[in-house]
Structures are given as structure tokens and as C-alpha cells.
């Protein structure tokens, strides 16, 4: 902080991204990336786009990419918006749909970017305590509020809610926008996309970063009523019209069209998750039921920090938060079977 900073950023506590080590020795299970490479068709499309055409701006409306998403999801292109990762879309959505004098509500334990956005954009917020089993406190998200944000499946717990629950939120909050952040939906949850025609207050946000193995390309998309999509466009075009570059548009569209590859990598991640969960439980760990590409894990006799540091010393990176409710928990991304074997071995050394 210094004298030149605006008042707006003086009080902000920004989001802390997971560590991206430069040396490659670590088994990296800390940022929920996919352990498998992107679709070969996506890589070909990116290479084909890396040519003379780069002297031109990209299509600000991302028409081909939106068409690929709309086709896959059975939507109209007017119901789809694309952005530079879903984080950017969430930032646009908070600005497009929420107001300072009304409280945005979300669960207390969820994606830690949400409170950063409410602070940064000067919005009111109410964080609702979790149920005792770490499931989402749905009833408490239904009262008076200025908007609702729900990660489904939730992060870092991995717990998903059913579509009946999402519908309950939409019906109970008809006058505000309900954002459903589906970053992890492809690993077992039910997508709320099928509710879009019926609920004009629903915005579903997804990403190419996790289930399509393209975290490095930075592409996300939102789906909802065309008027909500226009709201996002209004914010974007007040900041930067060209947020998704030519390589990203081409690569993401090809990845979305390669359904077979997508199905094979998400299946592998889910199989590895089921196996790892079983083994960790046999070793005495508590593991929450996950529908995501990570597990939320604790052990009754060892603190989260102790396990985090012990794993790091053995070359395994996982994620831990210094928050009272989840101090004794680790979020462990699902890697390859070999990665997870090394993780289990390292954890067993510590207990
Ligand atoms: C990873 C993640 C995102 C961000 O994804 P990007 O598209 O890479 O910006 C959004 N929401 C949740 C809950 C996530 O875990």
C-alpha cells in the first residue's frame, strides 16, 4: 500500500491463488487442474489459430465458441456469454446484477473469490454458516437478500446439491439473480442448465479450466436468459471488449466439440477419486462425499497445517486454509493414479 493507491484498493484483501511452483519436482495437487493433457483437437486448433490472423482483434462476440456451447447444451446462442476464465465472468456478474445497498448471500465455506468481489465492488454480503456436515445451508439462502451465489458442487467441500435444491433457491428468490458456479459440475453433479428457459433469474457459470484440461487457456462461459447475457455484455464493454483471444476461442471451441475425449478424461478423474476416497477412509481419514475433481480430507489426530507441511516436505502440494471452520482439512486435487498413490504413501508416513 502506498500514497498513490486509490481508496478503493487500500482496504482490499485480494484472492490468494494456489502456488504454481517453477521447479517441476512437486506432485501438484493444489489447484484442481486436470492431470491429463487437453484434447489433441484443441491443441491443433490453437496451433492453426497461431498465424498471421493474430494481427487482427478477435471476435468480441465469440460467435463460434458460443455456437459450440449452445449446440452442446441445447441453448440459443443469445443465452451464452464467454469470458477470460469464469473468474472474470463472476466478476462481471457481481457488477452487473448486485447493488451496494442489498446483501449478496453465499455459504460461509465456499470459493474464496466471492467475498473478495463483494468487498472490491463495494457490495453488501452475508455469509451463511454451513450445516454441521458441511452441506450447504440452503434455507438460509432463501430469505431477504440482494442476490445468491452457490458453487455446485461446492468448493472446497466437493459436496453437490440436486436440481430440486437449485430450483428451491430460484423459486424462493425470484427478484434477484441466483448465480450457480458449476466449475466442477462435470465430475458428477447435475447441471442447472436445463432450468434456464424456466427461470429468468438463473445464471449458470462453467469453465474450460477443470474438466476440459485448459486452465492455461483462460476460457469460461455463462448461460442464462438473454437479458442477463446482455447485462454481462454491458459490463464487459465498459471495461475491455476483447477478453477472449483468438487462440482461446479456437481452442475452447474445439475442446467442447471433442465430446469423446472429454468423456474419457472426466471418467478417469472420477474413477481415481472413488478409489482414492476408499483408500484414505481405510487408512483412517475422514473424507467428505465429493462430486468434484478434489477430495476434502481430515484426520482426527493431525492438524491440517501439520499434514500440509509434511506433504510439502515430501514433494506433494495440496491446499489448506487458515480459517477456523476448516483448519483441520486439506483439499487434495485428483491427479493421475500414480500421483494419488504417492499422495497416500506420503500421508501414511505422517500418521
Ligand atoms: C476454479 C474455479 C473457478 C475459476 O475458474 P477459471 O475459469 O479458471 O477462472 C470458478 N469457480 C470455482 C468454484 C472454481 O473452483
Amino acid at each position: 500500500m502506498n500514497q498513490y493507491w486509490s481508496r478503493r484498493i487500500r482496504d482490499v484483501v485480494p484472492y490468494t491463488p494456489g502456488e504454481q511452483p517453477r521447479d517441476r519436482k512437486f506432485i501438484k495437487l493444489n489447484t484442481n487442474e486436470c492431470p491429463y493433457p487437453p484434447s489433441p483437437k484443441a491443441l491443433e486448433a490453437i496451433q492453426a489459430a497461431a498465424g498471421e490472423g493474430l494481427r487482427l482483434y478477435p471476435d468480441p462476440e465469440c460467435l463460434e465458441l458460443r455456437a459450440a456451447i449452445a449446440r452442446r447444451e441445447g441453448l440459443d446462442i443469445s443465452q451464452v456469454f464467454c469470458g477470460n476464465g469464469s473468474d472474470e465472468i463472476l466478476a462481471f456478474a457481481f457488477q452487473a446484477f448486485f447493488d451496494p445497498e442489498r446483501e449478496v448471500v453465499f455459504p460461509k465455506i465456499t470459493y474464496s473469490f466471492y467475498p473478495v468481489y463483494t468487498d472490491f465492488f463495494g457490495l453488501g454480503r452475508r455469509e451463511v454458516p454451513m450445516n454441521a456436515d458441511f452441506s450447504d445451508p440452503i434455507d438460509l439462502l432463501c430469505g431477504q437478500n440482494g442476490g445468491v451465489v452457490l458453487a455446485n458442487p461446492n468448493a472446497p467441500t466437493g459436496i453437490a446439491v440436486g436440481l430440486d435444491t437449485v430450483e428451491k433457491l430460484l423459486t424462493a428468490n425470484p427478484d434477484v439473480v441466483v448465480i450457480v458456479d458449476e466449475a466442477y459440475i462435470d465430475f458428477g453433479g447435475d447441471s442447472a442448465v436445463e432450468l434456464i428457459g424456466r427461470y429468468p433469474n438463473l445464471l449458470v457459470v462453467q469453465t474450460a479450466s477443470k474438466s476440459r484440461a485448459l486452465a492455461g487457456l483462460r476460457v469460461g462461459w455463462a448461460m442464462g436468459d438473454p437479458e442477463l447475457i446482455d447485462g454481462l455484455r454491458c459490463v464487459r464493454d465498459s471495461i475491455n471488449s476483447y477478453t477472449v483471444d483468438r487462440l482461446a476461442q479456437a481452442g475452447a471451441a474445439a475442446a467442447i466439440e471433442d465430446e469423446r475425449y472429454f468423456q474419457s478424461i472426466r471418467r478417469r478423474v472420477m474413477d481415481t477419486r472413488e478409489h482414492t476416497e476408499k483408500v484414505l477412509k481405510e487408512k483412517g481419514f475422514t473424507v467428505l462425499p465429493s462430486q468434484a475433481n478434489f477430495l476434502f480430507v481430515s484426520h482426527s489426530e493431525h492438524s491440517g497445517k501439520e499434514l500440509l507441511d509434511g506433504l510439502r516436505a515430501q514433494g506433494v502440494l495440496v491446499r489448506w486454509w487458515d480459517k477456523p471452520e476448516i483448519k483441520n482439512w486439506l483439499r487434495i486435487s485428483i491427479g493421475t493414479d500414480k500421483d494419488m498413490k504417492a499422495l497416500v504413501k506420503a500421508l501414511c508416513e505422517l500418521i
Side-chain angles (χ1 to χ4, degrees):
M1 211 257 274
N2 89 0
Q3 57 174 329
Y4 301 115
W5 285 31
S6 72
R7 246 176 317 182
R8 187 153 179 246
I9 67 164
R10 280 185 200 184
D11 298 327
V12 161
V13 182
Y15 177 75
T16 315
E19 179 181 355
Q20 294 289 354
R22 299 266 181 87
D23 53 82
R24 282 300 166 108
K25 291 189 315 259
F26 286 104
I27 294 176
K28 197 170 173 306
L29 305 176
N30 66 334
T31 51
N32 298 343
E33 289 141 330
C34 181
Y36 305 111
S39 152
K41 291 182 180 151
L43 298 180
E44 274 167 36
I46 293 166
Q47 268 151 12
E52 186 268 340
L54 282 177
R55 84 196 159 72
L56 302 171
Y57 282 105
D59 172 11
E61 287 303 333
C62 304
L63 282 176
E64 281 175 32
L65 174 54
R66 284 165 65 212
I69 295 163
R71 262 196 307 277
R72 179 171 193 275
E73 303 294 343
L75 296 172
D76 188 80
I77 194 168
S78 64
Q79 296 170 300
V80 182
F81 178 91
C82 294
N84 188 264
S86 55
D87 286 338
E88 178 185 75
I89 295 182
L90 291 166
F92 288 173
F94 275 61
Q95 295 173 90
F97 307 124
F98 302 149
D99 285 303
E101 56 281 357
R102 297 192 304 170
E103 287 175 337
V104 180
V105 294
F106 45 84
K108 182 89 198 279
I109 302 302
T110 190
Y111 190 36
S112 35
F113 236 131
Y114 307 152
V116 175
Y117 291 140
T118 52
D119 285 357
F120 187 56
F121 300 135
L123 305 169
R125 85 164 113 96
R126 190 167 74 246
E127 292 171 281
V128 174
M130 310 306 282
N131 299 329
D133 60 358
F134 280 116
S135 60
D136 288 310
I138 296 299
D139 289 339
L140 300 176
L141 300 172
C142 290
Q144 277 287 318
N145 64 67
V148 181
V149 189
L150 183 78
N152 188 35
N154 196 15
T157 62
I159 297 174
V161 299
L163 281 191
D164 50 335
T165 303
V166 176
E167 266 198 279
K168 184 176 165 186
L169 276 180
L170 291 162
T171 316
N173 300 288
D175 301 328
V176 298
V177 171
V178 176
I179 299 177
V180 183
D181 180 350
E182 295 190 348
Y184 301 105
I185 198 68
D186 298 319
F187 301 106
D190 292 322
S191 174
V193 165
E194 66 175 72
L195 304 177
I196 282 173
R198 285 192 278 141
Y199 294 95
N201 58 331
L202 168 62
L203 190 77
V204 179
V205 180
Q206 295 185 0
T207 176
S209 296
K210 277 81 187 226
S211 57
R212 287 192 171 72
L214 287 170
L217 201 61
R218 311 302 305 130
V219 177
W221 51 92
M223 297 167 283
D225 189 273
E227 301 207 357
L228 296 188
I229 300 305
D230 273 341
L232 293 173
R233 192 180 281 119
C234 178
V235 174
R236 180 197 64 201
D237 290 343
S238 306
I239 297 174
N240 172 10
S241 291
Y242 303 108
T243 62
V244 191
D245 67 60
R246 283 175 170 267
L247 308 189
Q249 291 190 31
I256 283 158
E257 278 162 357
D258 196 351
E259 185 71 21
R260 241 171 66 138
Y261 185 85
F262 162 73
Q263 293 295 347
S264 79
I265 59 174
R266 81 181 184 106
R267 188 74 258 165
R268 279 160 84 182
V269 169
M270 288 190 284
D271 290 346
T272 305
R273 177 187 71 208
E274 300 312 309
H275 179 71
T276 309
E277 176 183 350
K278 187 165 144 276
V279 174
L280 287 175
K281 283 180 170 169
E282 283 165 10
K283 304 285 184 195
F285 289 88
T286 305
V287 186
L288 294 188
S290 170
Q291 308 268 49
N293 66 342
F294 54 82
L295 293 170
F296 205 45
V297 176
S298 73
H299 192 282
S300 56
E301 285 152 39
H302 301 271
S303 76
K305 185 70 166 55
E306 180 189 339
L307 295 175
L308 172 86
D309 293 341
L311 285 174
R312 194 190 164 86
Q314 295 179 76
V316 182
L317 294 185
V318 300
R319 194 93 202 252
W320 171 81
W321 287 269
D322 192 4
K323 287 189 193 169
E325 302 89 342
I326 54 172
K327 263 175 110 68
N328 282 329
W329 294 78
L330 297 178
R331 190 197 69 189
I332 304 172
S333 308
I334 301 300
T336 61
D337 286 326
K338 189 165 160 248
D339 293 338
M340 301 322 277
K341 219 170 156 175
L343 164 90
V344 170
K345 184 161 174 282
L347 272 176
C348 288
E349 296 274 319
L350 300 171
I351 59 171

